[in-house]
Amino acid sequence: MITLHHCPNTRSSGARSLLEQMGVPYELHAMDMRTGENRQPAYLTINPLGKVPAVTEDGALVTEQGAIFLYLADRFPEAKMAPPIGDPLRGPFLRWLFFYGSAFEPAIVDHAQKRDPGTASMSPYGSYEAVIDVLRGQLAKGPWLLGERLTAADILWGVALGWTMMFGVVPKHPEFVTFAERVAALPGVRSAAAKDAELAAAHEAARGKG
């Protein structure tokens, strides 16, 4: 059984959305980030960084967004959320999974914190503007990152664009808004959002009693 280590309304909402969209069974280890539960020793033995998501199965631990999405999509090939090895789309699929963590996240964090990324030769992403332009150009081809084929990469990016636009660290370009709305309308993404809303409300109620 897959166990998803999760805090509602965080980056791990994307992994929960993928599991819901694939329709596979999983156990949820839910934590309240606002009380620092993910920074307590019990969870730090799973992920010493205290970050979510993390996935465990049969003693195996997977962290990092791109790795988790790849693991889950390959683990359940019947859901058809990853092009198999040998498929011409496999390379582009991997590219967009890992472009997220390698370029997009560092770029938007530096941008939000108003940090100088350094010289282009030293920066892992070059420039914030270049990252935004590359992503915008790809999404303009639509409807999905790989054209007509929905994959796990779309859920990763759609959920991420939703929250980064909400917080104002990514501009609301039409390509981003349309894509995020398309992903948000997927049954599994809607289901995960509803369950996260219930979980967040339960956490808030528990904090109130404390």
Side-chain angles (χ1 to χ4, degrees):
M1 175 71 73
I2 294 283
T3 298
L4 174 66
H5 304 273
H6 173 68
C7 297
N9 302 323
T10 67
R11 287 174 175 83
S12 63
S13 296
R16 188 174 198 183
S17 296
L18 177 60
L19 285 163
E20 292 283 332
Q21 182 68 21
M22 293 193 301
V24 299
Y26 65 97
E27 293 179 347
L28 189 71
H29 172 210
M31 296 171 286
D32 187 348
M33 182 172 282
R34 290 184 60 182
T35 64
E37 192 175 355
N38 58 306
R39 299 286 179 178
Q40 297 303 310
Y43 184 61
L44 294 178
T45 62
I46 297 171
N47 186 349
L49 298 181
K51 297 290 187 177
V52 291
V55 162
T56 50
E57 183 184 26
D58 295 333
L61 167 66
V62 189
T63 65
E64 314 315 315
Q65 291 265 57
I68 288 170
F69 274 68
L70 179 59
Y71 179 83
L72 293 176
D74 281 349
R75 174 70 176 78
F76 301 100
E78 64 276 12
K80 300 186 184 304
M81 293 300 285
I85 294 174
D87 188 308
L89 289 177
R90 179 71 175 188
F93 170 70
L94 295 177
R95 175 199 178 193
W96 288 107
L97 274 186
F98 292 98
F99 185 80
Y100 175 83
S102 299
F104 180 76
E105 282 256 3
I108 64 169
V109 170
D110 282 349
H111 180 73
Q113 298 293 322
K114 296 180 171 56
R115 293 196 299 240
D116 184 353
T119 63
S121 61
M122 291 293 293
S123 170
Y125 56 85
S127 73
Y128 169 84
E129 293 77 15
V131 169
I132 295 298
D133 287 346
V134 168
L135 179 60
R136 190 178 182 185
Q138 184 69 17
L139 293 180
K141 302 173 185 178
W144 306 111
L145 276 164
L146 303 185
E148 298 296 325
R149 188 165 179 175
L150 172 69
T151 71
D154 295 298
I155 293 179
L156 172 65
W157 279 99
V159 173
L161 284 172
W163 66 262
T164 52
M165 287 191 293
M166 179 177 66
F167 287 114
V169 295
V170 167
K172 293 182 178 179
H173 291 307
E175 298 90 346
F176 294 170
V177 173
T178 300
F179 179 75
E181 290 175 347
R182 187 177 296 123
V183 172
L186 292 170
V189 180
R190 292 202 312 268
S191 173
K195 291 179 178 180
D196 260 13
E198 292 179 3
L199 182 57
H203 283 169
E204 185 174 359
R207 289 194 299 270
K209 292 178 182 178

